[in-house]
Amino acid sequence: MLSVILVNAVILGWATYGGSALPYLEVAESLIVGLFVIEMFLKLYAWRGGFWRDGWNWFDFIVVVISLIPATGPFAVLRILRVLRVLRAITAVPQMRQIIGALFKAVPGMGTVIGLLLIVVYASAVLSQQMFGESVPEFFGDLGTTLYTMFQLMTTEDWPEVSEAVAEHHPYGWIFFVLYMVLTAFIILNLVIGVIVTSMEQEFGKGRWEEDQRLELVQHNAVIERLTELSEQVARLQNQLGQEDSGGRQSVEEAAAKVPVAGSEAHGGSETDEGGSDGRRPHRGE
């Protein structure tokens, strides 16, 4: 589909030249639109309700619908929007989608920096109009003209011409312009670039962070399984040691129980020997 989108872009550019190839280009464009429609139906069939959860799918759907608008009739003017089909290359390349997503996420931060820039430009316009308005009216005659001049100076476009016109009446006026351009062109605009770069780093690092989290989860599960196995082995060893200890205590108790019996037999035998052969103890009279 990316190849089809690129071919469509070439056809749109070629059609601007007109000529005898224009009818063939229109036929080729119709075939490409047919391919886009088939692709859209396949996506709707495959993803069903999940198709509408992605903003890029909405964009593709709107572009395809615009492509089906007839070339004649009250909506013919919308045919100029068919150039939007070229933008489908953004949806076909994941890296481009990440860049556009990063730009949208950077809008809040850029809005703050741009607001600061507008305040600086407006304050500088009012100040420069009061200083140079009477002597250089072609650049600082009123607020609108001065704002346009300030925009030119911010882009460093034709600023020597403005500076020379002011220097004829104000020899030290160049100091104001240098300070203004350093503050706007080299500081505040770089803040905008910094915000965009930071947002892109976060967007591109998001995928790596999710991959790291997935790998850490796999490693965590493997460690937990290994600890479970070791715990089971320790429990089995403790059971075996407990059985051996209980068997050893039973053997000691049995041996201890047999020792008094043997001693009593020996003591009895000695009394028999002392009392005579019949085993009776002799009385005093005897």
Side-chain angles (χ1 to χ4, degrees):
M1 293 309 302
L2 178 60
S3 300
V4 174
I5 293 170
L6 295 179
V7 170
N8 184 34
V10 173
I11 291 175
L12 290 174
W14 195 352
T16 59
Y17 292 94
S20 59
L22 187 59
Y24 302 101
L25 296 177
E26 292 178 352
V27 172
E29 185 179 358
S30 300
L31 294 175
I32 290 175
V33 172
L35 291 176
F36 287 159
V37 172
I38 293 173
E39 180 204 13
M40 191 59 56
F41 276 113
L42 290 175
K43 286 184 176 181
L44 290 170
Y45 175 76
W47 295 341
R48 293 177 173 83
F51 177 85
W52 307 106
R53 298 191 185 99
D54 190 352
W56 291 109
N57 290 335
W58 277 94
F59 176 77
D60 288 343
F61 181 80
I62 293 172
V63 170
V64 172
V65 170
I66 292 175
S67 301
L68 297 176
I69 297 175
T72 58
F75 299 101
V77 66
L78 296 179
R79 288 286 293 174
I80 61 176
L81 297 179
R82 67 184 187 274
V83 72
L84 293 177
R85 294 200 296 266
V86 179
L87 298 180
R88 290 201 62 200
I90 297 174
T91 63
V93 181
Q95 290 78 7
M96 289 186 180
R97 292 201 302 268
Q98 288 180 330
I99 292 175
I100 298 300
L103 289 176
F104 279 114
K105 290 182 179 179
V107 168
M110 285 194 300
T112 303
V113 178
I114 291 174
L116 175 62
L117 177 62
L118 292 177
I119 291 174
V120 173
V121 171
Y122 182 80
S124 300
V126 174
L127 180 61
S128 59
Q129 196 279 330
Q130 293 177 354
M131 291 190 300
F132 314 126
E134 296 182 358
S135 56
V136 192
E138 64 272 19
F139 293 112
F140 304 97
D142 52 35
L143 182 61
T145 303
T146 306
L147 285 172
Y148 181 74
T149 303
M150 291 293 103
F151 180 78
Q152 283 184 315
L153 294 175
M154 183 180 65
T155 59
T156 65
E157 182 69 22
D158 295 335
W159 79 270
E161 180 182 355
V162 177
S163 179
E164 290 174 0
V166 172
E168 294 179 359
H169 305 277
H170 305 277
Y172 297 100
W174 61 270
I175 299 176
F176 172 80
F177 298 117
V178 170
L179 294 176
Y180 172 79
M181 286 188 293
V182 169
L183 181 62
T184 56
F186 299 105
I187 296 180
I188 297 181
L189 289 182
N190 283 327
L191 289 177
V192 175
I193 297 173
V195 170
I196 296 174
V197 171
T198 301
S199 179
M200 287 187 177
E201 288 179 352
Q202 294 175 351
E203 184 68 18
F204 282 94
K206 180 180 178 182
R208 293 193 295 268
W209 181 83
E210 292 177 351
E211 181 66 18
D212 292 340
Q213 292 296 314
R214 188 184 65 81
L215 294 176
E216 288 182 2
L217 180 60
V218 171
Q219 295 175 356
H220 174 74
N221 293 334
V223 170
I224 293 299
E225 292 178 358
R226 183 58 179 167
L227 288 176
T228 303
E229 294 176 357
L230 292 174
S231 299
E232 293 176 354
Q233 293 178 2
V234 170
R236 287 195 296 267
L237 291 173
Q238 289 177 348
N239 292 333
Q240 293 176 1
L241 291 174
Q243 292 176 359
E244 292 177 359
D245 291 342
S246 61
R249 284 196 296 270
Q250 289 177 359
S251 300
V252 172
E253 291 176 356
E254 291 176 357
K258 292 179 181 180
V259 170
V261 174
S264 62
E265 290 178 355
H267 181 68
S270 63
E271 290 180 351
T272 303
D273 294 337
E274 292 176 358
S277 60
D278 56 357
R280 292 183 294 110
R281 183 184 295 273
H283 298 286
R284 289 182 180 180
E286 296 177 352

